[in-house]
Amino acid sequence: MTVDINVVLNEILVKLFRNITVIEERSLKRGEYKNVTINDMHVIEAIGLEESKNMTSVAKALAVTTGTLTISVNSLVKKGLVERVRSEEDRRVVLVSLSESGKQAYKYHQKFHKEMVDTALRNLSDKEKEILAKALSGLSDYFRQCLENE
């Protein structure tokens, strides 16, 4: 009996995506960020640690509308994780950045991702790591193209 590698990889990817989401959610609920959702964390990641970003660029990075992002940012402002200000150059432009608490949440979540990647790579040779990176890069390109073609 031959195994169809496409079926096997599909099952692995579907389970992997689901498990990552579930584990991320559990990690947040067990930690000090019980009131932060996975969606909140993705917005926090898109805003990042650097300088303030305008809402349009953050929405584009998340592949959501500015209106959808506004709802999330309102919640994050109430939670004290994001700060919102108007641009001095153009008062119509809203800039968002992470508060100190938001930066700590960002770092907490980055630690989760680092542990996940370190675990995935732990028993791989350098050549296997290269192959995995190439395969995942191709998958990432496919997803990016799907989003761009919507």
Side-chain angles (χ1 to χ4, degrees):
M1 179 166 101
T2 55
V3 176
D4 184 345
I5 192 68
N6 290 341
V7 171
V8 172
L9 288 175
N10 180 65
E11 288 177 12
I12 291 169
L13 288 172
V14 168
K15 288 178 184 176
L16 190 61
F17 290 138
R18 184 181 58 239
N19 289 343
I20 288 171
T21 301
V22 168
I23 292 166
E24 279 183 312
E25 287 172 347
R26 287 180 184 166
S27 170
L28 289 171
K29 297 303 174 208
R30 280 195 303 262
E32 58 190 279
Y33 300 101
K34 290 176 178 36
N35 69 332
V36 179
T37 67
I38 282 297
N39 183 59
D40 289 342
M41 197 55 79
H42 291 156
V43 173
I44 288 169
E45 284 181 320
I47 294 170
L49 296 175
E50 306 303 317
E51 62 206 31
S52 298
K53 293 183 180 167
N54 67 52
M55 293 282 285
T56 304
S57 66
V58 175
K60 185 176 180 184
L62 292 167
V64 298
T65 66
T66 306
T68 297
L69 178 63
T70 298
I71 293 166
S72 294
V73 167
N74 288 345
S75 171
L76 289 167
V77 167
K78 286 179 187 172
K79 293 175 183 179
L81 299 168
V82 170
E83 296 170 346
R84 178 179 26 213
V85 296
R86 295 244 173 229
S87 167
E88 292 297 322
E89 292 83 36
D90 184 345
R91 302 292 294 159
R92 296 171 297 177
V93 175
V94 175
L95 301 173
V96 290
S97 60
L98 299 181
S99 66
E100 281 307 311
S101 295
K103 289 176 183 176
Q104 292 307 312
Y106 178 96
K107 290 173 185 173
Y108 175 85
H109 196 60
Q110 288 307 108
K111 183 178 177 231
F112 167 83
H113 281 271
K114 181 181 180 334
E115 290 172 0
M116 179 177 63
V117 171
D118 288 348
T119 299
L121 299 179
R122 185 177 312 146
N123 296 318
L124 298 181
S125 68
D126 288 344
K127 185 66 176 168
E128 289 169 324
K129 290 174 188 176
E130 275 181 48
I131 292 167
L132 179 61
K134 183 176 180 183
L136 292 176
S137 179
L139 190 59
S140 179
D141 289 345
Y142 168 75
F143 289 144
R144 183 183 40 75
Q145 289 171 358
C146 288
L147 289 171
E148 288 172 359
N149 292 332
E150 282 187 346

